[in-house]
Amino acid sequence: MGFLIKLLLTAIITYVLGKYLPGAHLDGFGDAILLVLVLAVLNAVLKPILKLLGFPITVLTLGLFLLVINAVIVLLADWILPGFKLDGFVAALLFSIVLSLVTSVIDMVVD
């Protein structure tokens, strides 16, 4: 039950971010749900590989390179989903930072 609540709350936040964040364009709420699912799969499969490959750079930048990895994952979701478009890397970076902050708050509230 907690998973469904988190999924719906994250989809609502993603939909709001897609409508009001500059550089992010989301067609509808169904696309927001798909985006949340695609991001979950990419974070589960691809993010550990990217973290391992980028470990030396992450150490040199004191962890800031993880923001770049998150932005790359959001750009991949942009490439996969036709209903979600970003205007560039800065928009992906901003989208990933805000989404990470909001989902961490959602995780604290729902758990």
Side-chain angles (χ1 to χ4, degrees):
M1 187 58 130
F3 172 75
L4 289 176
I5 292 171
K6 285 182 187 179
L7 177 79
L8 287 175
L9 287 174
T10 307
I12 291 168
I13 296 302
T14 305
Y15 180 73
V16 170
L17 288 177
K19 290 297 179 183
Y20 295 111
L21 206 62
H25 311 284
L26 195 58
D27 288 343
F29 188 70
D31 290 323
I33 292 175
L34 284 175
L35 176 62
V36 170
L37 292 174
V38 167
L39 285 174
V41 169
L42 288 174
N43 280 330
V45 174
L46 193 60
K47 192 171 185 176
I49 297 168
L50 291 176
K51 284 171 107 176
L52 184 65
L53 292 175
F55 180 71
I57 300 170
T58 304
V59 170
L60 287 175
T61 62
L62 303 175
L64 290 177
F65 190 69
L66 292 174
L67 296 173
V68 174
I69 291 174
N70 285 340
V72 166
I73 288 176
V74 171
L75 283 172
L76 283 172
D78 169 33
W79 183 69
I80 292 171
L81 291 174
F84 175 62
K85 293 295 168 206
L86 294 167
D87 290 343
F89 182 78
V90 175
L93 185 64
L94 185 62
F95 188 88
S96 68
I97 289 171
V98 174
L99 187 62
S100 295
L101 290 173
V102 172
T103 48
S104 66
V105 171
I106 289 173
D107 287 343
M108 285 189 297
V109 170
V110 172
D111 285 340

